[in-house]
Amino acid sequence: MNIFDNSKPSIGGVSPARIAEVREAEAAIFRKARPKSAAKIGNGLPGFFGGVPMHWMNDWPTPFPILVDSAKGATITDIDGNRLDDFCLGDTGSMFGHSPPPVARAIRRQAGRGLTYMLPSEDALAIGPLLQQHFGLPFWQIATTATDANRFALRVARAVTTREKILVFNGCYHGSVDETMVRLVGGRPFNRPGLAGEFRDLTRATDIIEFNDLPALEVALRDKDIACVITEPVLTNCCMVLPEPGFHEALRKLTCAAGTLLLIDETHTISTGPGGFTRKYGLQPDLFVLGKPIAGGVPASIWGMSEDVASRYAAYFRTKEPGYSGMGTTLSANPLQFAAMRATLEEVMTDKNYAHMDHLARRLDAGLTAVIDRCRLPWHVSRVGARVEFICAPDPLRNGGEAEAAHAPELEAAIHVALVNHGVLIAPFHNMMLISPATTALQVNRLITAFGAVAARLAA
């Protein structure tokens, strides 16, 4: 039985008035608990445009950003002494916890040996084989962000196929790669709204269809003019969308038949296991990208190629016109990255740590689901490995269009601030929570309890 009055507008089953009431009350609690932060950052940090070092820091729904004093393991402490159980973990950048001890030791060791010199260190000797062992592909390159890695991999795809167009799925996220900044509106492709300074029609060289839509994929690949399909295994930077049974197998079969390369971006789905979703579910990409947590929080990313792509690209490179390839940045593949990445691959991304993460993520999934059922809210929980998300819509989502419709920013903002006031931090841009090797069962229990209190208040 639906306990909500459908004659009145609601957001995720909660009245707008109730949401506004909760958010206003929680904002006052937040400010009262942070007098030092309010004085130092309440009116913005001096010297920074918009008062913050990066514009998206203003997207946190708290009255002003939390000014961090320190972070360790799965805990953040602000300058007012407030301790938060951190389930955001830098939106995956610190997925293995803040300053994992092996990474911290590696950074200290390397700091005395030089931070960058455009040459490999001995750690680089170990990293190549480690990447092969973890992720399967034989040839790798190091970059600084997943955006860079995706951009470089797409250049290779276009070079070896001599095709211009790429294909993405509606709702995808691949950093700030220009070509992927498109969306479907009423079934038609458009540039994503809000792009700054964008004067090009990005849909000219980018096709876009819905995730899980195999008939649309077959049509899109029919003309054999797509260089590369770039996708996450699971849509993550929206309300989470899981692949339907058989989707990835069909995606691989159709791309092979069309001579189209397949790029799997595991930057968020590395939560699945040591080799990501790709290894756990036996995906066979031509190109592979992973950013954010690969060096334990030090900015770094990797991109890999299959034997076939590497051979074709080597042949292309031998015959291309001399000059700059448009790939590479000076600080990419520096020895600090090598040191942190080696420590992460050898000592942090272990089966034991992932077993701990998966166990607690299952516990969190079950706990949040029980709260939603108890409060009779029309929400559900999705999970990919150690990545858990509650979605303020009743049913599992099939594609990016449904994910966009399920997004409830006003409601999610109220929940976020209320959870902060209960001592819990989750991701600001969607309702994502991560379990790290440092996360404890007690922290998970506190999150479930806090979520229960907030949900009951909203549902009352």
Side-chain angles (χ1 to χ4, degrees):
M1 180 180 71
N2 185 355
I3 65 170
F4 299 99
D5 183 354
N6 291 322
S7 67
K8 297 180 180 179
S10 70
I11 301 171
V14 183
S15 75
R18 185 62 157 169
I19 294 168
E21 174 191 338
V22 169
R23 187 167 185 185
E24 183 178 352
E26 295 297 336
I29 295 170
F30 179 91
R31 290 190 183 95
K32 186 176 181 181
R34 291 169 176 81
K36 293 180 183 178
S37 297
K40 291 189 175 185
I41 199 174
N43 294 314
L45 292 173
F48 291 107
F49 178 78
V52 287
M54 187 66 185
H55 67 88
W56 44 248
M57 290 182 179
N58 280 326
D59 292 343
W60 289 81
T62 49
F64 45 82
I66 294 167
L67 199 54
V68 175
D69 176 68
S70 64
K72 184 176 181 180
T75 302
I76 279 180
T77 304
D78 68 22
I79 65 168
D80 289 279
N82 298 294
R83 288 170 55 87
L84 297 171
D85 293 328
D86 186 9
F87 291 89
C88 173
L89 295 171
D91 194 21
T92 311
S94 293
M95 190 183 82
F96 301 113
H98 296 289
S99 300
V103 176
R105 288 193 297 269
I107 291 171
R108 286 194 297 268
R109 185 190 76 239
Q110 186 59 46
R113 300 177 179 179
L115 300 179
T116 187
Y117 27 76
M118 290 186 69
L119 292 166
S121 65
E122 285 198 76
D123 287 323
L125 297 174
I127 288 173
L130 285 168
L131 294 175
Q132 292 172 332
Q133 293 162 20
H134 273 262
F135 307 115
L137 294 179
F139 296 105
W140 294 89
Q141 291 280 273
I142 309 297
T144 299
T145 68
T147 294
D148 289 338
N150 278 316
R151 189 180 290 124
F152 303 158
L154 288 176
R155 279 192 177 273
V156 170
R158 285 171 163 149
V160 304
T161 62
T162 66
R163 300 174 181 178
E164 179 183 7
K165 295 173 71 174
I166 66 165
L167 185 143
V168 300
F169 294 106
N170 193 32
C172 69
Y173 179 71
H174 303 290
S176 55
V177 177
D178 289 347
E179 300 97 311
T180 67
M181 293 292 178
V182 296
R183 61 178 285 192
L184 286 175
V185 180
R188 295 178 58 197
F190 291 91
N191 284 11
R192 290 183 65 170
L195 294 178
E198 184 55 73
F199 54 87
R200 299 164 296 174
D201 177 7
L202 298 175
T203 66
R204 186 189 66 80
T206 301
D207 282 1
I208 178 171
I209 62 173
E210 291 286 10
F211 196 70
N212 283 319
D213 190 343
L214 291 176
L217 178 63
E218 192 167 3
V219 171
L221 296 176
R222 187 169 51 198
D223 292 338
K224 298 186 177 182
D225 60 349
I226 304 292
C228 184
V229 173
I230 174 174
T231 186
E232 306 167 88
V234 175
L235 294 189
T236 60
N237 211 49
C238 55
C239 296
M240 191 185 297
V241 180
L242 298 171
E244 293 182 342
F247 172 73
H248 280 294
E249 292 81 358
L251 171 61
R252 179 68 283 190
K253 182 178 179 180
L254 289 170
T255 50
C256 285
T260 295
L261 301 185
L262 176 60
L263 192 166
I264 297 292
D265 181 353
E266 288 263 18
T267 298
H268 285 163
T269 52
I270 192 63
S271 58
T272 311
F277 197 99
T278 294
R279 190 168 96 185
K280 182 168 183 177
Y281 293 101
L283 307 189
Q284 296 180 319
D286 302 293
L287 298 154
F288 180 103
V289 164
L290 172 59
K292 291 190 182 179
I294 186 63
V298 171
S301 64
I302 56 170
W303 58 284
M305 297 174 273
S306 68
E307 184 87 43
D308 176 65
V309 171
S311 176
R312 292 164 67 186
Y313 186 59
Y316 166 85
F317 209 81
R318 286 192 298 269
T319 58
K320 85 172 185 69
E321 182 181 4
Y324 179 47
S325 67
M327 298 159 55
T329 54
T330 303
L331 294 179
S332 292
N334 68 64
L336 185 64
Q337 291 175 328
F338 294 146
M341 194 180 300
R342 179 179 182 180
T344 301
L345 290 166
E346 287 184 337
E347 301 181 68
V348 179
M349 293 178 67
T350 64
D351 290 332
K352 180 180 178 181
N353 277 344
Y354 268 103
H356 169 85
M357 293 156 67
D358 190 70
H359 171 72
L360 289 186
R362 290 178 185 275
R363 183 172 184 164
L364 177 58
D365 184 345
L368 298 181
T369 298
V371 166
I372 290 167
D373 291 344
R374 185 168 68 247
C375 294
R376 302 176 72 183
L377 286 162
W379 304 350
H380 73 280
V381 179
S382 276
R383 182 175 74 88
V384 55
R387 185 186 184 96
V388 182
E389 185 175 330
F390 64 87
I391 298 168
C392 300
D395 301 310
L397 308 172
R398 185 172 183 269
N399 56 49
E402 292 183 6
E404 184 177 2
H407 185 41
E410 299 93 341
L411 175 57
E412 293 161 8
I415 295 169
H416 177 96
V417 181
L419 288 176
V420 168
N421 291 334
H422 280 80
V424 174
L425 187 71
I426 66 172
F429 310 121
H430 39 86
N431 309 317
M432 188 274 292
M433 297 150 285
L434 279 167
I435 304 295
S436 78
T439 305
T440 65
L442 181 60
Q443 287 178 306
V444 170
N445 290 343
R446 284 199 294 254
L447 170 52
I448 294 169
T449 300
F451 180 76
V454 175
R457 188 174 168 198
L458 288 164

